[in-house]
Amino acid sequence: MDKSKSSRRLRLTSRNDQVGIMKFSSETITGQNPGSNDSTPLSPSSMFTSTELKYIKHSFINAILLCHWDNILGPRLYHLWKIQNVPPPPVGVLRFLTGQILSGEICKELDSNSIDFKFYDMPDKLILVAAFVFSGRLDRDVAIQSVGFVIPNSELNLYLKYHNLLQLCFRRLISKFRILLNKVSRPEDVLNEFSSWLTICLEMLSSLTEAGLPQQPRLSETAFCPHHNLEPDFLYRCITSHLMTFGRSLVVGKLAERVNLVISTLALFNSENERATSRLVDDDKPWAYHHDLCVQGLLKSQHGAITLPIREILCSRYPTTIIDVQNRDVKHSPYCHGHDIKNYQVLRNELLYLHQNNMEEPDMSNSVFQKVQQTSYLISNLIDEISKLSADCGIRVAHVHQFMRLLNRRAFSLINYVETETLKGSISLKGGLKKLRQDLSLTKDGDFRIILATAEKCKPGIYHFLLGDGKLVDFAVPMGEII
Amino acid sequence: MFGEYAQVASYFGQNEAVEGDGNMSYPPSYLLPTFNAANPWSNEHNSKHGTHGDFIIIAEFSEIEGPKPLLTIPSDGGHGFDHNAFSVKIMAVDHQTSTTGFSISEDTQVILTDSGEFEVCAFVHHFALYDHEARGFVRPFCMAYVTKEERKLVNFYEEFSSQFRKVAQFFKYGNRMCFVKDLERHSKDLEYTKGVLIGRFNKPMPEQGCTEEAIYKDLQHIQSSLAEIRDILVILRPLLNDKRLESRFHTLESRAWRESNKKDKLDSLSLQEQWFTERGDQPASKYGSFNDAPDNPLHLFEKIHAYSPKLVEMKKKKKFDRTLRSLHELCSWGAKEGMKKMRLIYEHFKREAMILELEREETSLLDPPTSVLSCGQCITHNFLSGLSLRPADCPALSFPADLLQRWSSIDTLEGSFGSFKSVVSESSLTSAQSNDSFMLASEGFCDDDTLFSQPSDVEKSSPSVVRTDSNLSGSSSMTESDTMPSVYESCSNSPIKTPDKTMNDDITLDNVETSSLEQTSDIPEDNSVITTESEITITTCNSESQNTSESDSKLTDSSVDSIPDRGQMINSSVDSIPDTGQMINGVYIDPPSSDKNILRQYSEPDDTTDTTPSSEGTRLTRKPRGGIYTVGDLLFNLRYDSPGIGVLQVLNKYNNIQHIIYSILTGRLVLVVGQAKHEMEVIKLVTALSLFLPNHRRKHHAVVEWSSKPFRLTDLPRIKIAGVCRTEKRSIESVVKKYCSIIDVDKKVIIAPTYQGTLIHSIISKKKCFKIDADFIAFTHCWFMEIAAKAFIFYHSFCLGSTNIISHHSSVACHKQQYCNSVKGFITKLGIHEGDSPIIEYFAEIIKLLQIDQTSLPIDEGFKVSPVTLSYQSCQMFRC
């Protein structure tokens, strides 16, 4: 018996592609026809446009999709961004992905401002997809839309390291993109604008490959190596502030070597994923500041001048320490709670200005940054301890790692304490912060901030709970030492 | 879906109204972010979507009902959560990618966040099972881990991914076995029917109304079905190749048979889980029982009933009124195993992301296992973790001559062994040799180091070993002291060639470092000597230590017994080393009783194999954990007998407890003594105090809660804290009393060496600050970590570093004084009070002992040597 005939019954599972679909083979808007070689027949609405993003040296992203839920056709691929020199997946796969990303979203509320995230791992297609689903205006309608990043399966580890950074970057871009969509303008303009933003983002990711920090910290590149010297007091202030600002720092200076020394030193205090999203400076490649890179640098001009990207700094998820290596100056942006409010305002204003076509956003003053005044017993003790250890065999680096474990454990202890004292936040802290700091031996302001910042990473919201507005202490006022 | 139009229309209605007001400066509100301060305890306070913690939900896309939830783990998981709606969301997509014919599709994994309706995140694993009754033979299922903490899913993505793949493998493998069996039966049915039809075809019976044509059609149909089944079997059969899983299922099934034959235990192994939907008495639920009809799908292996084929009704149209098989019927034992695994996954991941992260971070400390320092069953530090002792990593190390000299004893192992043999051969071998043997045992490691180190460029002259074994002959008659009579002085070193690993020509600092490390670790070992003038060092064999009151000869015997082993050990490990001269430049000191001099420094290298790239190191790697928890895990699983429970009560109730804690932290045995009526109190004290016990692993039984047997000196080596019942007749042997600290619950007194430091006061002063034990325990573990950091510096910079280099030309007494001074000086520089110095030294000592322990393990099987240091210290009595 004929084999093909015999398996007819089994084909019931597959879709019948032939029914009701008109074959279409005209040019797409960009003059390309990505689907022409594909076996799947196309309807007129199956067309999509595409753009190529250029001058990106290293990209672990293969392609970027923009798709939406069409009320008649269902999931529809609308635009494809290809990366120069990176072959995009076949169109059939892209269409399949479109369906995957959007199919579960038909019930999503259109008037929600949330941007949902999805991540697909499809081993049989050898790809991963990180997708953001949101509602946005389309023609005169509001529809569910999605931007999806297609990544080869082999880059899973890299993706997981970059996950937090990508979330922050792309959520910001997509918020802006939605504003553009909402303004009545030609779709090409919107896409062009978005393309330029994407390019900036991908360039930043590419720079991480070029000037990222080594996965394993090397002592020889840090200030803890006896070959380098950095004033202990300056180092002390840098580390204290760096840890108070959640391990986020911007290092500026004239000499790349000195800047990189500080960057490498501070990155010792960051987790592996945070190190992966940190960047050294390079004399030849003046990368701009990018928000939410953990530790990064900027080089001053010949005359020693630099304009701090204040607005961008405030766009970051966490506060940032700004270190001027040349002047030995260490400042930081407002602490967690104050930063959260500023961060919200800046991001919101950015959207408003975009909506109003107001290109000139008001300048922000340097005054948002404060000098580091806090003292920390933990850090001074650490620096002292490190000086007593041999510089070989990774002993010093191991000691720093152990120090970070200690911080985590103390943060854990603090969280436990607060949970017991406040019945998991249902009542306010009896005895106040002063008692907490005394009980937990955190009388030094710097120590308390450092542990609190560590705790905030473990348990988001606890900083706000303890030091938020209406709570015990105003964030802007230095709290002073408790004796 | 269609309801959405109305929603959109109403939305735009509002929006246009706003725009009509001329308020163009603001975009629609849905485009602007809102300010949400994170709530650290959102799980506890979010009433909108229920107060559920994490749970796992299994859902399927039913061909009759569409997406529907099947069950949750735990069974009440997601209270207040709309399981139906969520199932629709996660099962809305067809994840099968194949479009032609029968094929095996790979599973898809998805993380999704939902900030609207459900406010949860989920890790969803989609997989397809086969069911010969289902449409297209395929039944899509998914299992989803639902949580509110997105970072848990992302940070532990790889773990989730691999764990759920394993579960799916159980399901799918069981399912394939069932499916293949079903198809085989079905093809038998078809063959049988074909036979019947052919019979009819040959003898047409017009009265039945069967035309030839109809029968012919049916036959064709059967033929095509058979071919189809053959095709599927061709694809599936090669996939059934996992013998391990099959035997696992087989075991389960045979166990089920055995159980089912016991009358009282009917159905005890039913596969039926607690269904999410209440199905009570519906027919479907009875499928899960193992004792159902013999052809039920659960019987994967037993073939007690021969299958009798049935006639297949060809005209029957597919009806969708029948309940399809449940997950358990589809997968048989695979489902049982899969569910079991899934419960484990749930138990593991239901903890907070913070705890999981802490656990991951601290688990890295467990490697290498030979240098793990733990306190109160909680990991505290690992002195060699993350260190690289390979030469290439230490290029900057310089090569100080004095270091090399000090270390020289290590590289010339064989010589030392030779000298050892000479000791053995002497008739005057005394009890002291136990210490010798100890030294040799530990020297066993040093060959490892020597293999790596090539002091080829070291110019050392003749291999003469100068041995000043002053008390070798005469030290035997000490009461409870063993002498360790051999005092070696190293004079020379010789170049060594190590045949195996001689690739490396340069001497690496690393080796030097290592060796020095070994040396240093020795020093703290003798800390008791250092701190107290009178001390005894005993080496016990196989934890059956000699009672010191026994005769010397016995002791000697035992130690002699142990010698050949060690000799072998050394031989085996050293045979590659040429017979060049060598020396041990350490000085063995013996107790004051035997000799006037106290030990200074003897060089027996610790094990560093784990950190060196030797194959030995990898082979020795133990399974991590070993009764040690991470702090999050410890507090998450606090039980009534966890170390530290009741500690606040104890600290508040007893005064002067710092002296006892000091004893614990310096390795001195602590006995809690009380009459039988105080048993509970004693046990409480022991449990509470065990929080402070360094390197306490469960398997070592270092803590005895309550013992009514008399406590003897032989118990000293293994026990660190014990509750002892006081009876009329028995009290603690005076010999034991000398070496332990005592809390007497009856008399309310503490007898212990006086604590004069500050560290312990700092933790005791917190006793009023914490309301519950867990918080205090967490804080105490931070405190341990800080102390351990100091010990780490002491270990690396003092013990292994160059600080403690002592000239070889001075007398032993001089050495001791020098050593004590340098320890004191170093510890003071670390900011540690002099009174706390023994604690730091003991922590470093623990690491050294661990390394010795580890290295001697594979060599003397069943004959483990563990050195015991008893230190006599003058005690005081305090009221408590």
Side-chain angles (χ1 to χ4, degrees), chain B residues 145-278:
Chain B
Y145 187 93
V146 183
T147 176
K148 288 185 176 171
E149 291 183 289
E150 184 190 350
R151 72 186 165 125
K152 191 189 284 184
L153 301 181
V154 177
N155 291 354
F156 295 89
Y157 179 81
E158 279 157 314
E159 285 89 335
F160 272 110
S161 174
S162 67
Q163 292 301 319
F164 274 100
R165 274 183 214 288
K166 278 181 196 159
V167 174
Q169 182 59 17
F170 283 129
F171 281 133
K172 290 197 295 185
Y173 201 85
N175 171 249
R176 280 174 196 166
M177 290 178 76
C178 289
F179 185 53
V180 165
K181 213 173 88 179
D182 283 339
L183 287 184
E184 283 166 351
R185 281 183 181 168
H186 190 59
S187 79
K188 273 183 196 159
D189 288 346
L190 287 173
E191 292 285 358
Y192 174 72
T193 312
K194 193 168 102 182
V196 172
L197 283 183
I198 288 174
R200 279 191 204 157
F201 191 68
N202 294 336
K203 295 186 217 165
M205 286 179 277
E207 68 274 13
Q208 282 185 2
C210 287
T211 61
E212 268 188 28
E213 199 182 338
I215 293 174
Y216 182 70
K217 244 186 178 171
D218 283 352
L219 278 175
Q220 262 191 328
H221 216 99
I222 287 175
Q223 203 60 23
S224 70
S225 297
L226 280 173
E228 187 177 87
I229 289 174
R230 262 199 306 278
D231 287 348
I232 296 175
L233 289 177
V234 165
I235 297 175
L236 278 184
R237 278 211 177 102
L239 297 176
L240 293 177
N241 55 2
D242 191 336
K243 292 293 167 217
R244 199 179 55 82
L245 264 188
E246 263 173 50
S247 73
R248 197 159 166 176
F249 293 162
H250 199 177
T251 315
L252 280 177
E253 186 166 320
S254 37
R255 197 183 301 157
W257 273 113
R258 282 200 300 277
E259 293 290 322
S260 69
N261 290 335
K262 294 180 192 170
K263 284 184 183 170
D264 298 341
K265 293 209 170 183
L266 280 182
D267 257 13
S268 64
L269 283 175
S270 158
L271 289 172
Q272 192 67 42
E273 293 290 332
Q274 186 174 3
W275 292 101
F276 177 73
T277 48
E278 287 183 16

Side-chain angles (χ1 to χ4, degrees), chain A residues 14 100 110 114 116-117 119 121 124 157 356 385 388 392-393 402 409 419-420 424 438 458-459, chain B residues 8 25 41 45 95 97 99 109 111 113 115 151 158 352 362 379-380 394 397 766 775 790 797:
Chain A
S14 66
Q100 296 282 306
L110 290 170
S114 62
D116 286 343
F117 173 72
F119 180 74
D121 181 357
D124 53 350
N157 278 329
Q356 293 157 1
E385 286 177 350
K388 293 190 169 64
D392 302 306
C393 303
Q402 181 67 12
R409 202 172 260 200
E419 285 188 350
T420 307
K424 295 203 170 179
Q438 267 166 349
C458 297
K459 193 105 188 156
Chain B
V8 173
S25 58
W41 298 283
H45 302 306
H95 285 277
T97 52
T99 51
Q109 295 181 324
I111 289 180
T113 60
S115 50
R151 72 186 165 125
E158 279 157 314
E352 285 180 59
E362 294 191 355
I379 186 157
T380 304
C394 300
L397 264 178
K766 299 290 178 191
D775 292 352
K790 299 288 181 194
S797 293

Side-chain angles (χ1 to χ4, degrees), chain B residues 744-763:
Chain B
D744 195 322
V745 176
D746 306 324
K747 297 178 191 161
K748 298 273 179 203
V749 291
I750 284 174
I751 304 167
T754 314
Y755 173 64
Q756 290 167 327
T758 57
L759 277 176
I760 297 175
H761 291 298
S762 73
I763 190 75

Side-chain angles (χ1 to χ4, degrees), chain B residues 335-352:
Chain B
K336 192 91 182 161
E337 284 296 277
M339 298 301 291
K340 201 165 108 191
K341 178 93 191 159
M342 216 154 11
R343 281 191 202 97
L344 292 178
I345 294 175
Y346 168 73
E347 288 299 324
H348 180 79
F349 285 112
K350 74 176 181 186
R351 298 172 295 167
E352 285 180 59

